[in-house]
Amino acid sequence: MDTKWIVLIVTLVILVAIGVALYFLGKKAKKRQEEQQVQIDANKQTISMLIIDKKRMKIKDSGLPQAVITQTPKLMRMAKLPIVKVKVGPQVMNLVADEKIFDSIPVKKEVKAVVSGIYITEVRGYRNNKNAEPPKKKGMFAQALAKAKEKAGVSQVK
């Protein structure tokens, strides 16, 4: 047998082993996520709050309680989390928002949010604009297309 074939077979065996390992790790992670979602759903409550500010920041700079920071895995401490500064009654606190809803949270508005511990899972009612949804951000392609249409409209007027 030629050495090319030996290298090819060894490479394929390694790739298959990596694929199998990733499959089982994925199943394990999915199971863990489902268990966490059950706990979040069991502890959720609706709270009226004023959104002061929101930004993505590292967990050590976020202003969350020290107990939360120490319980966070080492790899997650470097990642930036969606942190929302809110006022609930007289108390100002920092909460972690779900990635899916972070962009739709309005700033400087009073909202009703579903909260589980320090985790905002859903933003329900906007005061003053009950039927209005927050404006969606345009993608890079949509912004470029809008600029091109705007410039084309300006050049036709002249």
Side-chain angles (χ1 to χ4, degrees), residues 100-157:
K100 293 178 265 184
I101 65 158
F102 181 68
D103 292 331
S104 67
I105 297 175
V107 179
K108 309 272 189 214
K109 298 241 172 147
E110 191 165 337
V111 298
K112 287 192 185 280
V114 178
V115 178
S116 178
I118 62 163
Y119 193 68
I120 301 174
T121 57
E122 188 179 337
V123 176
R124 285 201 179 151
Y126 306 111
R127 194 169 272 188
N128 300 334
N129 293 344
K130 297 210 178 211
N131 295 330
E133 288 198 17
K136 292 191 175 186
K137 289 188 176 181
K138 289 184 181 179
M140 192 170 74
F141 181 74
Q143 288 176 352
L145 187 64
K147 282 185 180 179
K149 284 183 179 179
E150 182 180 315
K151 286 185 179 181
V154 171
S155 64
Q156 290 176 355
V157 173

Side-chain angles (χ1 to χ4, degrees), residues 40-41 43-47 113-117:
I40 287 173
D41 290 342
N43 295 326
K44 68 182 182 181
Q45 55 186 331
T46 303
I47 299 175
V114 178
V115 178
S116 178

